[in-house]
DNA sequence: GCCTCCATGTAACACGTTACATGATTCG
DNA sequence: CGAATCATGTAACGTGTTACATGGAGGC
């Protein structure tokens, strides 16, 4: 139930058409909630039907014609309530950690190269965020909205830094002398808990 | 395409029935790839049909009767290939960051309490991981498999630490003198980029 | 016999992903 | 007028989520 709220947020920041939203997602909200244009059109339809947004009257409803949306009071209320209520954090779901776990069973072939590749990608992303931070959040301009948006960006920065740190640790570790022998014995005991419980 | 591979990994570690898998997921693989029993049964069916696993002959196929699976050579091959090939990291998708962004538009009511709550949850999870680390990865026992599994766990530990750090930073920041005034002006400019580009 | 727990499963829906279809506008 | 681009959409599918259904085994 997050995409509709992401869209409401974006529309409150600035009324837009579907494609405009898509592009704006790609360079800001989409960093922590990506969405394709198909998802966005689908949600815009639902939000309009639910009476949370409406198409600006200026636009004709013919196909291929730009259609701008704005948030209605009910939409703002819905967003406010969603943003202020409790919501548990969603558990992590990460394929790289999983593949590492698989490598413990079927062998580490190709693993080191993959870790290096990911390390590089995360460094690029971090550089990207750093550039945005320099550009958009210079000292001063200290409004409440900006502080909050800055915090979100710093979340992204910390997250990329986490990956970089961990990947470097992992590369060091699997590079150590005896750590690169091939597939281990089958039938070893349970995942994180060889000692039970 | 990750759940089937998570299941193959778990089954290689130890042949199991659906419920056993579910329980083992809950305390190890599920930390970074959660799955409910319904998902697991569904995938077990697909994997069996695809010829990657098979039910152990000892078990009868009546409803309500335990059914154990083991991985076939084709399954191991599939897992090996999946674990060694390239796969781009999936972009982040996090509701708390999103809600913070929304709060920049509709106001910060309830935000601080929610941040504290999350902080607490992440501290608990970190404590949990720390306990597992102490129990399962004492110095020594330095096989390749254990090193890899330890690295995965350390990934979880780093990740929780990231959240704790960031949440503490956020709480400090929104606690600062002028940062808690109510809803900001509507119609402010673009998300991360008030200055454009 | 009844309740509880173990175990396997069905059904329906929500959401994300990918590929493709179609109309409008602009520019050479 | 033809091609490229902008813009909105359809369709089909994979996976995750939630609620519920069914059968067997053991204890009281």
């Amino acid at each position: 139930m997050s995409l509709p709220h992401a869209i409401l947020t974006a529309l409150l920041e600035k009324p837009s058409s579907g494609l405009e939203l898509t592009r704006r997602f790609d360079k800001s909200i989409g960093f922590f909630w990506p969405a394709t244009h198909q998802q966005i059109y689908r949600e815009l339809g639902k939000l309009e039907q639910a009476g949370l947004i409406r198409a600006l009257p200026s636009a004709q409803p013919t196909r291929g014609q730009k259609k701008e949306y704005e948030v209605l009071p009910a939409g703002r209320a819905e967003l406010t309530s969603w943003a202020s209520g409790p919501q548990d954090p969603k558990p992590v779901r990460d394929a790289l950690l999983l593949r590492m776990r698989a490598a413990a069973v079927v062998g580490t072939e190709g693993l080191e190269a993959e870790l290096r590749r990911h390390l590089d990608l995360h460094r690029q992303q971090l550089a990207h965020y750093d550039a945005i931070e320099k550009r958009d959040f210079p000292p001063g301009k200290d409004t409440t909205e900006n502080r909050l948006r800055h915090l979100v960006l710093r979340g992204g920065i910390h997250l990329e830094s986490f990956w970089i740190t961990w990947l470097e640790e992992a590369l060091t570790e699997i590079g150590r002398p005896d750590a690169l022998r091939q597939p281990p014995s089958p039938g070893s005991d349970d995942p994180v808990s060889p000692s039970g419980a």
Side-chain angles (χ1 to χ4, degrees), chain A residues 44-103:
Chain A
L44 284 173
K46 287 190 198 169
L47 287 169
E48 189 176 21
Q49 269 211 318
L52 303 187
I53 63 175
R54 66 161 186 183
L56 288 184
S58 56
Q60 312 96 317
T62 70
R63 193 181 178 122
Q65 207 65 17
K66 195 157 106 167
K67 206 160 84 181
E68 292 223 309
Y69 290 95
E70 68 175 0
V71 179
L72 294 173
R76 176 181 283 265
E78 166 59 32
L79 183 62
T80 307
S81 136
W82 176 80
S84 62
Q87 241 181 276
D88 283 345
K90 241 190 52 184
V92 188
R93 190 169 265 151
D94 184 87
L96 186 59
L97 293 171
L98 200 55
R99 291 161 75 202
M100 201 130 172
R101 190 55 183 276

Side-chain angles (χ1 to χ4, degrees), chain A residues 69-143:
Chain A
Y69 290 95
E70 68 175 0
V71 179
L72 294 173
R76 176 181 283 265
E78 166 59 32
L79 183 62
T80 307
S81 136
W82 176 80
S84 62
Q87 241 181 276
D88 283 345
K90 241 190 52 184
V92 188
R93 190 169 265 151
D94 184 87
L96 186 59
L97 293 171
L98 200 55
R99 291 161 75 202
M100 201 130 172
R101 190 55 183 276
V105 179
V106 299
T108 56
E109 186 147 4
L111 183 59
E112 189 175 347
E114 185 67 353
L115 295 181
R116 283 192 203 289
R117 203 172 65 84
H118 280 232
L119 180 53
D120 202 55
L121 290 170
H122 286 293
R123 283 186 174 141
Q124 281 174 35
Q125 191 64 29
L126 178 58
H128 189 182
Y129 287 155
D130 279 340
I132 293 177
E133 187 179 32
K134 273 212 186 84
R135 190 195 64 199
D136 291 346
F137 303 103
K141 297 203 60 169
D142 220 22
T143 63

Side-chain angles (χ1 to χ4, degrees), chain A residues 3 5 16 18-19 23 31 34 39 44 53 56 65 74 89 92 96 121 127 130 143 148 151-152 158 172 175 197:
Chain A
L3 179 56
H5 300 98
S16 306
L19 247 213
R23 288 203 245 274
F31 289 146
Q39 277 179 279
L44 284 173
I53 63 175
L56 288 184
Q65 207 65 17
V92 188
L96 186 59
L121 290 170
D130 279 340
T143 63
L148 288 170
L151 271 172
V152 172
H158 279 166
T172 305

